[in-house]
């Protein structure tokens, strides 16, 4: 894959290596957003079917990205909304605990904690910090803790602060064996790293769209496995009823929800501005291919990985390290304020999260961005 900077409008001279924070918008998505706004100048041109069509396209494209089918996919505004919906449909059934990772992103952590408090279950937090970041051991710790008393494991696809990969395949196998749900926050992977809900035996997965999916803010997408299909949504949108497409009959109240996961869509899911923007972005990702994006990031990040290893800065071994997010702990001797100033002066944008300096490139970055970063790190490590 070639560099794709010409499809974006990032400021010249800036090295924005921070997609885990927020992606820039594709020029083509920006145009779709403007078209969406312009449409409302003449609302009589907006037809009944337009209330559904773009969201349906989004679901179809997203389903291809995660190897699912579009009836299992729903639109919601955030990861917290998705987890609230899924957890609302999990009953304790004599289970006694749930599992999360230390430093899980707060939207997931608090959703799990709230469920445990309500259902008098223990929230077991797997140690992440003190294991010196050895992801192989952490993966095994998670697997060892899953048993028939476990209601669910709530976990991110890769650790959001350092890109360490959780072994979701083995975790999924153990969950199935023990009769517990696997709930995944895919925000930091979907679009940049293969996420196959069938292969990983995921029961529920939600992802915010404004990072690796190049979507607008306040849009997230959830996948529900069939075990949720008879569940209860958080709210009762008219759009989720089987008669919704016939506006003349809406008050012939229809007790049936649209097929499969259809009941879980947030009200007004088919945002006339955001859905065309998101659909455009998903189409572009499918054209690029997720594997090619991951390989592109791998190639970009290789010199940084080499540099870090030469300087004895720990990162996970390649099998357990995503290449689109690499976070590392700074040596004690590093002056963080000086490093921040140097990054700022050189217009390099990365993040500092939970003790890790997080570098997260995407297809608009080139080798110069990484060289610039290495030069600054070389001065400061
Ligand atoms: C792993 C992860 N999950 C979720 C979110 C966003 O959560 P929400 O959609 O609830 O705002 C982020 C944002 O940084 C994230 O990194």
């Amino acid at each position: 894959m070639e560099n794709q900077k010409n499809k974006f409008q990032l400021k010249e001279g800036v090295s924005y290596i921070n997609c885990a924070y927020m992606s820039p918008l594709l020029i083509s998505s920006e145009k779709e957003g403007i078209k969406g706004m312009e449409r409302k100048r003449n609302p009589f041109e907006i037809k009944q079917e337009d209330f559904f069509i773009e969201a349906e396209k989004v679901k179809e494209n997203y389903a291809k990205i995660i190897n699912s089918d579009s009836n299992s996919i729903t639109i919601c505004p955030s990861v917290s909304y998705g987890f609230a919906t899924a957890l609302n449909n999990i009953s304790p059934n004599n289970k006694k605990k749930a599992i999360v990772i230390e430093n899980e992103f707060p939207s997931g952590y608090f959703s799990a904690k709230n469920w445990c408090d309500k259902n008098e279950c223990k929230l077991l937090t797997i140690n992440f910090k003190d294991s010196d970041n050895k992801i192989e051991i952490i993966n095994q710790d998670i697997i060892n803790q899953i048993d028939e008393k476990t209601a669910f494991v709530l976990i991110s696809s890769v650790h959001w602060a350092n890109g360490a990969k959780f072994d979701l395949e083995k975790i999924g196998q153990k969950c199935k064996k023990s009769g517990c749900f696997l709930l995944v926050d895919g925000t930091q992977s979907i679009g940049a790293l293969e996420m196959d809900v069938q292969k990983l035996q995921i029961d529920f997965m939600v992802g915010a769209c404004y990072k690796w999916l190049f979507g607008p803010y306040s849009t997230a997408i959830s996948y529900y496995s069939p075990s949720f299909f008879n569940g209860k949504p958080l709210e009762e949108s008219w759009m989720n009823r089987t008669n919704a497409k016939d506006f003349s009959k809406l008050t012939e109240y229809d007790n049936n929800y649209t097929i499969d996961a259809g009941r879980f869509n947030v009200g007004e899911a088919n945002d006339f501005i955001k859905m065309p923007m998101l659909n455009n972005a998903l189409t572009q990702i499918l054209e690029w291919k997720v594997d090619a994006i991951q390989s592109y990031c791998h190639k970009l990040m290789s010199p940084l990985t080499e540099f870090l290893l030469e300087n004895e800065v720990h990162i996970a071994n390649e099998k357990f390290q995503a290449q689109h997010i690499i976070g590392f702990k700074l040596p004690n001797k590093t002056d963080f304020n000086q490093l921040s100033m140097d990054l700022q002066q050189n217009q390099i944008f990365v993040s500092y999260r939970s003790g890790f300096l997080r570098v997260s490139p995407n297809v608009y970055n080139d080798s110069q961005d990484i060289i610039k970063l290495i030069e600054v790190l070389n001065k400061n490590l």
Side-chain angles (χ1 to χ4, degrees):
M1 177 190 249
E2 307 278 291
N3 176 273
Q4 302 291 325
K5 200 172 190 161
N6 62 353
K7 294 192 166 60
F8 298 85
Q9 299 191 81
L10 277 163
K11 263 192 190 163
E12 275 311 311
V14 161
S15 290
Y16 185 74
I17 329 174
N18 207 7
C19 195
Y21 169 67
M22 182 183 287
S23 72
L25 207 53
L26 283 154
I27 296 171
S28 49
S29 291
E30 196 173 311
K31 285 189 182 144
E32 289 298 325
I34 292 166
K35 264 201 266 169
M37 275 192 275
E38 286 173 352
R39 267 178 116 180
K40 205 162 184 288
R41 289 176 181 167
N42 290 299
F44 51 85
E45 285 174 1
I46 300 176
K47 304 192 188 61
Q48 293 187 15
E49 60 264 31
D50 295 334
F51 280 75
F52 302 92
I53 213 153
E54 286 295 329
E56 278 164 14
K57 285 192 214 160
V58 163
K59 289 179 201 175
E60 274 162 28
N61 276 332
Y62 188 82
K64 286 182 200 152
I65 293 176
I66 63 161
N67 189 25
S68 172
D69 78 274
S70 59
N71 290 334
S72 305
I73 309 295
T74 70
I75 312 288
C76 66
S78 63
V79 169
S80 52
Y81 186 102
F83 277 135
T85 311
L87 285 165
N88 214 24
N89 287 289
I90 295 180
S91 42
N93 284 340
N94 292 325
K95 306 269 181 172
K96 296 282 175 249
K97 67 176 185 193
I99 298 176
V100 291
I101 299 293
E102 188 178 24
N103 286 349
E104 179 58 73
F105 192 78
S107 292
Y109 168 75
F110 284 112
S111 303
K113 184 176 182 309
N114 182 37
W115 186 93
C116 285
D117 290 348
K118 215 167 70 190
N119 293 293
E120 295 177 353
C121 284
K122 181 178 156 58
L123 183 61
L124 182 72
T125 306
I126 305 287
N127 189 308
F128 189 81
K129 272 189 240 155
D130 298 342
S131 313
D132 194 21
N133 196 17
K134 286 201 180 60
I135 188 69
E136 299 90 318
I137 296 171
I138 298 167
N139 275 322
Q140 199 50 53
D141 286 348
I142 303 166
I143 292 164
N144 292 344
Q145 290 296 342
I146 303 169
D147 57 25
E148 63 288 351
K149 291 279 170 223
T150 313
F152 62 84
V153 176
L154 186 153
I155 193 166
S156 286
S157 42
V158 299
H159 197 279
W160 67 289
N162 70 359
K165 274 190 201 168
F166 294 110
D167 194 342
L168 291 186
E169 195 165 353
K170 292 223 174 86
I171 294 170
Q173 283 163 7
K174 185 76 187 283
C175 283
K176 280 288 135 331
K177 224 167 115 188
S178 309
C180 93
F181 285 89
L182 175 58
L183 314 176
V184 175
D185 179 347
T187 301
Q188 295 292 8
S189 297
I190 307 163
L193 182 70
E194 189 202 8
M195 288 299 295
D196 181 329
V197 289
Q198 314 290 335
K199 187 165 126 198
L200 303 175
Q201 304 190 69
I202 290 172
D203 294 296
F204 168 81
M205 179 165 78
V206 59
C209 297
Y210 66 96
K211 300 172 190 281
W212 305 97
L213 292 171
F214 300 104
Y217 193 64
S218 56
T219 312
I221 308 187
S222 296
Y223 157 81
Y224 293 86
S225 62
S227 50
F228 288 94
F229 288 173
N230 290 318
K232 229 183 135 26
L234 289 187
E235 49 175 338
E236 298 296 343
S237 169
W238 64 273
M239 301 186 88
N240 295 338
R241 300 285 166 180
T242 48
N243 70 346
K245 289 186 177 166
D246 186 351
F247 287 13
S248 67
K249 295 199 177 120
L250 293 181
T251 52
E252 289 176 21
Y253 299 123
D254 178 357
N255 284 321
N256 300 311
Y257 290 111
T258 49
I259 190 165
D260 296 348
R263 66 190 61 201
F264 298 123
N265 286 298
V266 68
E268 301 191 16
N270 191 85
D271 185 300
F272 294 103
I273 299 164
K274 287 191 290 189
M275 282 302 114
M277 294 170 79
L278 179 56
N279 187 46
N280 177 76
L282 299 183
T283 308
Q284 177 63 80
I285 289 169
L286 284 167
E287 201 180 295
W288 282 330
K289 296 193 172 62
V290 171
D291 279 355
I293 295 171
Q294 184 65 200
S295 303
Y296 183 83
C297 293
H298 191 179
K299 206 165 96 196
L300 272 187
M301 293 292 250
S302 292
L304 177 66
T305 312
E306 268 168 43
F307 168 80
L308 293 174
L309 293 176
E310 273 163 23
N311 284 275
E312 292 173 4
V313 175
H314 178 81
I315 51 169
N317 82 38
E318 211 171 287
K319 186 169 168 223
F320 292 107
Q321 177 64 57
Q323 296 298 315
H324 63 293
I325 300 180
I326 294 185
F328 48 93
K329 287 188 175 156
L330 296 168
N332 289 339
K333 65 179 189 326
T334 299
D335 178 343
F336 182 71
N337 291 334
Q338 183 61 48
L339 173 63
S340 303
M341 263 169 10
D342 288 347
L343 289 169
Q344 208 175 349
Q345 239 166 35
N346 286 280
Q347 300 201 74
I348 299 170
F349 291 86
V350 292
S351 283
Y352 191 65
R353 295 287 184 272
S354 297
F356 296 94
L357 193 78
R358 184 182 70 183
V359 185
S360 54
N362 209 327
V363 294
Y364 42 76
N365 289 114
D366 60 22
S367 55
Q368 260 328 92
D369 294 325
I370 304 300
I371 289 168
K372 249 170 85 179
L373 173 65
I374 292 173
E375 278 167 8
V376 168
L377 290 173
N378 197 26
K379 197 177 138 207
N380 283 279
L381 287 196

